[in-house]
Amino acid sequence: MAPPLSRRSLLQAAALAAATPAVSLAATGRAAAAVQEATPVAAAPSSWTVQPFALDDVALRPGIFADKRQLMLDHARGYDVNRLLQVFRANAGLSTGGAVAPGGWEGLDGEANGNLRGHYTGHFLTMLSQAYAGTGEQVFVDKIRTMVGALTDVREALRKDPAVLSVGGKFGTAVENVRGSYQYVDLPAAVLQGASAITLSAWVKPAHDGNWARVFDFGNDNTRYMYLAARNAGGVPRFAITTSGPGGEQALNGTTALPLHQWSHLAVTIAGGTGTLYVNGTAVARNTAMSLTPAALGALANNWLGRSNFSTDPVFAGAYDEFNVWSRALNAAEIGQLQNSRAADASAGHGDLASYAFDETRGGTFADASGRGLTATLRRTWGAPSHPGFLAAYPETQFIELESRTTPDYTKVWAPYYTAHKILRGLLDAYAATDDDRALDLASGMCDWMYSRLSRLPESTLQRMWGIFSSGEFGGIVEAICDLHTITGKAEHLALAKLFDLDRLIDACAANTDILDGLHANQHIPIFTGYVRLYDETGEERYLTSAKHFWDMVVPHRMYGIGGTSTQEFWKARDVIAGTISATTAETCCAYNMLKLSRTLFFHEQDPKYMDYYERALYNQVLGSKQDKPDAEKPLVTYFIGLTPGHVRDYTPKQGTTCCEGTGMESATKYQDSVYFAKSDGSALYVNLYSPSTLTWAEKGVTVTQTTAYPREQSSTLTFGGGRASFTLRLRVPSWATAGFRVTVNGGAVSGTPRPGSYFSVSRTWRAGDTVRVTMPFRTRVEKALDDPSLQTLFHGPVNLVARDSATEYLKVGLYRDAGLSGDLSASLKPVSGKPLHFTLDGREWAPFFEGTEDPTHAYFRRSEPKVVFGGRDAGVANPAKTDGTTLLDEVWAGAPFRNKGALVARVRSTVDAWVAAGLLSRADGDKVVSTAGAASYQP
């Protein structure tokens, strides 16, 4: 049976039936072994016993998912992708067309100097690809092709030496060094010629206000140099010359800052012990005790425009026009003439030591008009990529420095392979969506480049790198590389995937040893999705076993009620929930990646727990992380979802370009990805989620349309269309569905007893017009924090309910007083007319967590049952508690559901007897409790 998947799902893309290529690169033992053993893989992993449908096989119908998606689609349609491409084009020295980077983590001015820039572009490509698959709208394809074309140009530029970026100048053309390009002009060593008197003159148009960026710097090191900085620490121009380092500088300081994006003329003269700094023809500083001249510096190795001899100083960003050097000090009148004409047209004439007009419009060199033939060369501070496949929005130095780094410091190195993963994933998704071979070529080249770097490193270096917090984070790159391997069949790509093995983590989890305490959560969750894919490619059991055990260490042991995990991005001790609640709880990326892992594990083992978790996290945290309002500039997705009392969600954290906004964009355009799965042999269809949607199962020639307002409705109807097909329909029975789960086919009840936390099977030959009706009454229940039973969160069916209240202390809530025989707590809640899933309790409104509002909310509350009350009848007895916080009423209602009132009273009597015997309750009070329970009336 052919898999039920289209080419737009990379996980199912057909592998090329090519022979395993030879390997020409030196490799570690692990990489070499993988290369030798690799063989092309089949269209879909044979280890998958079920398979997903492609996004374009499942259409969302009106409902909460479609509403949330529409907000993100509008954002995707309107956002200018050139803003995302700005950092890539700048890195390659290409024109950015005036585009402004998004800010936050995307751009040089963002956190940690923008060391994560480029990641957001990958997310955006994935979002656009998913949006196209889900809607078929051409606008998304057009944006994808714009981005892929630009990235192709960027890689081509990075492969070559830097080229002149010609722009309008003061007198004609000028050369621009885009901020982020790390480009500078390298002048020949003889440029100063040991002059004892000198004038240096330049027109500059600064594009950034960073301090200490050099207009020019001539020197050997940090001891002997002569520079002119556009801004010193005080923000004004500064000239300095020294033969003994910073402490010996003889200097000239300006009085006002140079304006940005405007041409300014700077000139420095030194002669006869006097130095003068001119700005726009006016002398702004004079030093009559300047004994040093270029002659005192001797021969200098580094003669640069735009680059500093201090490596931590920024590169000058902006444009240059007319740089001249004379072997004499021009007078004020001559300096004044330079304000209105080229040097060649002024009385000073060309600089006799060096003269560059920057009239070049191509190439990478600048002609010298001084007559000395001192051709200057445009260079990058970091040289050139180590491999032609390199593609990034920052220099390769991030990757190089990681190889020797032993401690975390994200201001120096911030997860370069994580960023590479996002770009790689985006390119693969773009290829799957559009068949644009350029995207595949870029993706394949990136992996060729990574293999060329990593395969040369010792195993110990790799293990150290991947264990470093943040700097060594590589996200889900293994999954993406394995997906690429299914397309290319290149042995190097499979070998590359194995180079990301973090053995300490794999081995511990494979042995079911929990070592998660203290780990950065989102650094490790996506690793395991990749390892499951490595199992698919290699058959190595430790990958799959470790992933299964890892999942069990998170769910439920480190899971909040909404499905999220982590606090301040990290995991604390196992089973500590109440003790970790904070304003920075439940990083949204963690939920995104736990969904991916749950889904991938389900492909191998159809344990309902994976889809129970999927529903929990999707219908609560993921939906609730997206704000319910439009925005053209930002996706409006939370980073953290604080679970502290009265927390107000922040939908624009860190200017809106964090990892969580990125994954949030992806989540909102793939809500349909796990509604249905098919048995790999085509014998069964799994209905995992009750979501309004239409499935087109082309291989079976049928459609399945699911009509429901779930979770605002407690039922769903599936209608079959197309031709006849025989298969088993497997309907998920949620673990919370303890009030019943009823299935009818064409109006007739289906025999069998659906069990909560399982799949209920209906086998038949399906025909057009067949209808399946699923009814699952919701019950209201609480879930207790594992480390504090009194701290609880409220659920109505699958929906987490939050109290809307500005109080910053945990609310005290009682729920037993009206509990029914089933144990259902719904009687305590009063529905709000016209607002589905909204209730009032003790005068407070409770609403679904998934509503993306800015109301202060309480996801957890303090359970308070001070008195023993049954069916609204007060026994007049205080509700006693054990030392662990468990109360008498807790133990009574733990026996629910009760088949009738007599069973409930019997439970009350036996519990009372035990508490009396333990000295926790007096006999007289115990008799009152039993009597009240017997006299009360109960709903079912």
Side-chain angles (χ1 to χ4, degrees):
M1 179 69 192
L5 305 161
S6 78
R7 191 169 182 274
R8 289 199 182 114
S9 176
L10 274 173
L11 292 176
Q12 290 73 247
L16 301 178
T20 302
V23 179
S24 59
L25 299 170
T28 63
R30 171 179 288 168
V35 168
Q36 294 296 321
E37 297 168 4
T39 57
V41 297
S46 59
S47 55
W48 289 5
T49 49
V50 300
Q51 298 174 11
F53 290 90
L55 291 179
D56 54 359
D57 291 331
V58 183
L60 283 182
R61 292 167 59 81
I64 57 173
F65 289 112
D67 292 344
K68 293 269 189 178
R69 183 181 72 169
Q70 188 61 47
L71 293 169
M72 196 63 77
L73 292 178
D74 288 343
H75 172 71
R77 292 184 187 101
Y79 196 83
D80 181 6
V81 296
N82 287 297
R83 295 187 62 189
L84 302 171
L85 296 166
Q86 192 268 356
V87 289
F88 285 89
R89 286 170 168 153
N91 188 48
L94 299 176
S95 173
T96 62
V100 178
W105 288 2
E106 281 294 324
L108 285 163
D109 293 318
E111 189 171 351
N113 304 310
N115 281 347
L116 209 68
R117 60 191 183 274
H119 81 115
Y120 209 66
T121 296
H123 286 298
F124 212 90
L125 272 171
T126 293
M127 175 182 67
L128 291 173
S129 302
Q130 293 174 171
Y132 174 60
T135 68
E137 293 182 27
Q138 185 65 31
V139 63
F140 301 124
V141 174
D142 293 343
K143 286 177 178 285
I144 291 169
R145 288 181 175 151
T146 295
M147 296 177 76
V148 170
L151 294 175
T152 300
D153 293 342
V154 165
R155 187 181 69 174
E156 186 65 22
L158 288 170
R159 285 174 164 175
K160 301 175 180 178
D161 291 332
V164 170
L165 180 56
S166 181
V167 296
K170 176 66 177 178
F171 299 114
T173 61
V175 61
E176 181 180 17
N177 286 337
V178 178
R179 184 165 179 249
S181 67
Y182 299 90
Q183 291 181 176
Y184 67 101
V185 180
D186 190 17
L187 306 179
V191 64
L192 296 180
Q193 205 178 32
S196 57
I198 199 163
T199 298
L200 302 104
S201 161
W203 282 97
V204 294
K205 187 178 183 181
H208 187 253
D209 59 1
N211 294 341
W212 299 115
R214 303 295 201 255
V215 174
F216 60 74
D217 197 335
F218 302 94
N220 274 348
D221 47 32
N222 296 342
T223 302
R224 305 174 68 83
Y225 53 80
M226 179 179 74
Y227 71 75
L228 175 61
R231 293 171 60 92
N232 64 5
V236 298
R238 175 182 172 87
F239 171 83
I241 183 170
T242 181
T243 57
S244 57
E249 289 185 357
Q250 298 178 6
L252 298 162
N253 292 305
T255 55
T256 59
L258 299 182
L260 297 181
H261 310 298
Q262 294 181 30
W263 286 105
S264 295
H265 183 260
L266 298 172
V268 175
T269 64
I270 303 176
T274 296
T276 307
L277 171 65
Y278 295 85
V279 177
N280 293 324
T282 300
V284 297
R286 181 169 281 113
N287 184 343
T288 58
M290 188 167 281
S291 60
L292 296 175
T293 67
L297 297 178
L300 300 174
N302 304 326
N303 302 281
W304 296 328
L305 302 184
R307 182 178 179 181
S308 171
N309 275 285
F310 289 79
S311 61
T312 57
D313 288 338
V315 178
F316 178 81
Y320 280 91
D321 199 357
E322 283 278 302
F323 179 71
N324 285 275
V325 185
W326 291 269
S327 60
R328 65 184 180 89
L330 301 188
N331 60 41
E334 290 174 310
I335 297 291
Q337 291 179 10
L338 297 177
Q339 308 309 299
N340 301 306
S341 65
R342 289 180 179 269
D345 299 326
S347 60
H350 290 297
D352 62 318
L353 293 182
S355 180
Y356 303 97
F358 299 115
D359 287 334
E360 291 82 358
T361 59
R362 60 184 178 180
T365 59
F366 303 100
D368 170 30
S370 71
R372 300 178 66 208
L374 300 180
T375 301
T377 304
L378 190 64
R379 302 191 190 281
R380 297 187 186 98
T381 61
W382 56 281
S386 64
H387 185 282
F390 174 74
L391 177 64
Y394 44 63
E396 195 173 0
T397 50
Q398 282 276 296
F399 299 88
I400 295 169
E401 186 173 341
L402 176 61
E403 293 169 8
S404 59
R405 178 159 290 280
T406 58
T407 57
D409 184 349
Y410 82 141
T411 66
K412 299 293 192 300
V413 178
W414 191 4
Y417 284 97
Y418 173 94
T419 302
H421 163 240
K422 299 308 175 186
I423 299 168
L424 175 63
R425 180 77 267 168
L427 289 168
L428 290 173
D429 291 336
Y431 173 64
T434 65
D435 297 334
D436 190 331
D437 288 336
R438 296 175 301 172
L440 178 60
D441 183 58
L442 289 170
S444 185
M446 285 186 71
C447 288
D448 293 343
W449 156 70
M450 283 187 278
Y451 183 76
S452 74
R453 286 213 70 83
L454 298 178
S455 64
R456 300 174 186 271
L457 299 178
E459 182 75 16
S460 58
T461 299
L462 293 171
Q463 295 298 321
R464 172 179 49 76
M465 285 166 56
W466 308 145
I468 301 175
F469 159 61
S470 191
S471 297
E473 183 175 357
F474 56 80
I477 200 167
V478 176
E479 177 197 27
I481 296 168
C482 288
D483 292 348
L484 175 66
H485 177 252
T486 67
I487 303 169
T488 66
K490 290 181 68 171
E492 292 95 336
H493 293 163
L494 181 58
L496 171 64
K498 290 180 66 64
L499 293 175
F500 289 91
D501 282 5
L502 181 53
D503 288 335
R504 174 176 174 269
L505 182 66
I506 297 172
D507 294 343
C509 289
N512 207 15
T513 301
D514 190 332
I515 62 167
L516 303 190
D517 187 7
L519 292 185
H520 183 230
N522 198 52
Q523 182 167 346
H524 295 87
I525 299 170
I527 290 178
F528 284 97
T529 302
Y531 290 158
V532 177
R533 289 289 289 114
L534 256 181
Y535 164 76
D536 297 332
E537 302 294 291
T538 66
E540 292 187 34
E541 288 287 345
R542 75 181 189 126
Y543 292 127
L544 180 59
T545 301
S546 64
K548 288 180 177 179
H549 289 163
F550 168 81
W551 192 94
D552 287 333
M553 293 172 193
V554 177
V555 181
H557 302 289
R558 293 177 173 86
M559 182 193 75
Y560 302 104
I562 58 172
T565 186
S566 80
T567 185
Q568 294 181 316
E569 297 193 8
F570 289 83
W571 280 311
K572 304 300 182 184
R574 183 182 178 107
D575 294 330
V576 176
I577 301 299
T580 61
I581 287 177
S582 73
T584 54
T585 308
E587 184 185 357
T588 302
C589 272
C590 293
Y592 166 89
N593 280 308
M594 281 300 295
L595 290 182
K596 287 194 74 170
L597 178 58
S598 301
R599 182 176 190 263
T600 306
L601 288 171
F602 191 86
F603 296 158
H604 298 82
E605 179 183 4
Q606 287 73 65
D607 191 326
K609 69 182 181 183
Y610 297 128
M611 284 299 117
D612 267 346
Y613 173 81
Y614 201 98
E615 180 185 62
R616 175 194 293 268
L618 179 65
Y619 280 79
N620 293 293
Q621 174 157 0
V622 171
L623 279 181
S625 68
K626 173 71 186 86
Q627 190 170 18
D628 295 332
K629 77 174 186 179
D631 193 287
E633 284 295 302
K634 295 179 175 64
L636 300 182
V637 176
T638 59
Y639 187 165
F640 298 112
I641 292 186
L643 299 177
T644 50
H647 180 80
V648 177
R649 294 175 207 169
D650 179 4
Y651 297 98
T652 55
K654 300 177 184 288
Q655 299 183 55
T657 54
T658 67
C659 51
C660 293
E661 275 90 2
T663 55
M665 292 190 301
E666 295 183 32
S667 290
T669 49
K670 63 167 188 172
Y671 288 134
Q672 72 270 41
D673 76 341
S674 296
V675 177
Y676 309 99
F677 294 154
K679 195 74 174 171
S680 295
D681 61 4
S683 63
L685 176 68
Y686 286 79
V687 180
N688 304 308
L689 301 174
Y690 298 100
S691 175
S693 55
T694 296
L695 165 69
T696 300
W697 191 358
E699 286 74 14
K700 286 290 189 179
V702 300
T703 62
V704 180
T705 297
Q706 190 173 172
T707 304
T708 181
Y710 186 94
R712 296 185 174 115
E713 178 185 357
Q714 302 178 22
S715 60
S716 184
T717 300
L718 292 86
T719 304
F720 288 78
R724 298 174 56 179
S726 298
F727 57 87
T728 299
L729 187 67
R730 293 187 174 161
L731 303 163
R732 188 174 67 88
V733 185
S735 59
W736 51 260
T738 56
F741 187 91
R742 185 168 180 263
V743 179
T744 64
V745 175
N746 299 330
V750 178
S751 62
T753 305
R755 180 174 52 83
S758 70
Y759 278 81
F760 184 71
S761 297
V762 182
S763 300
R764 61 181 279 136
T765 298
W766 301 96
R767 297 172 176 82
D770 283 349
T771 60
V772 176
R773 178 76 171 168
V774 179
T775 304
M776 55 197 117
F778 291 1
R779 280 185 174 162
T780 303
R781 70 189 190 284
V782 296
E783 291 187 1
K784 302 174 182 178
L786 298 176
D787 53 330
D788 183 352
S790 72
L791 197 67
Q792 302 178 1
T793 186
L794 190 64
F795 280 85
H796 186 61
V799 178
N800 185 237
L801 297 177
V802 294
R804 290 182 174 169
D805 193 297
S806 60
T808 56
E809 300 289 333
Y810 284 117
L811 302 178
K812 293 182 178 181
V813 177
L815 295 166
Y816 285 141
R817 57 185 176 245
D818 295 309
L821 294 174
S822 65
D824 188 0
L825 302 173
S826 298
S828 297
L829 304 177
K830 181 181 179 181
V832 177
S833 178
K835 297 177 71 174
L837 297 176
H838 283 245
F839 305 89
T840 57
L841 173 62
D842 293 336
R844 234 178 245 111
E845 184 176 18
W846 292 70
F849 189 97
F850 65 67
E851 292 187 350
T853 72
E854 293 178 293
D855 294 299
T857 60
H858 291 248
Y860 279 87
F861 57 87
R862 188 68 67 186
R863 188 66 174 272
S864 177
E865 306 282 356
K867 296 181 179 180
V868 175
V869 181
F870 290 103
R873 189 180 288 261
D874 190 343
V877 175
N879 184 24
K882 294 181 177 179
T883 56
D884 66 357
T886 302
T887 70
L888 175 72
L889 288 177
D890 289 334
E891 288 203 354
V892 167
W893 288 107
F898 302 104
R899 65 181 181 276
N900 52 40
K901 177 178 175 179
L904 168 59
V905 174
R907 172 76 176 193
V908 171
R909 183 177 292 108
S910 63
T911 304
V912 163
D913 289 345
W915 282 60
V916 169
L920 299 171
L921 183 69
S922 71
R923 172 50 65 187
D925 283 347
D927 290 343
K928 291 179 184 178
V929 170
V930 175
S931 174
T932 302
S937 297
Y938 305 92
Q939 295 186 16

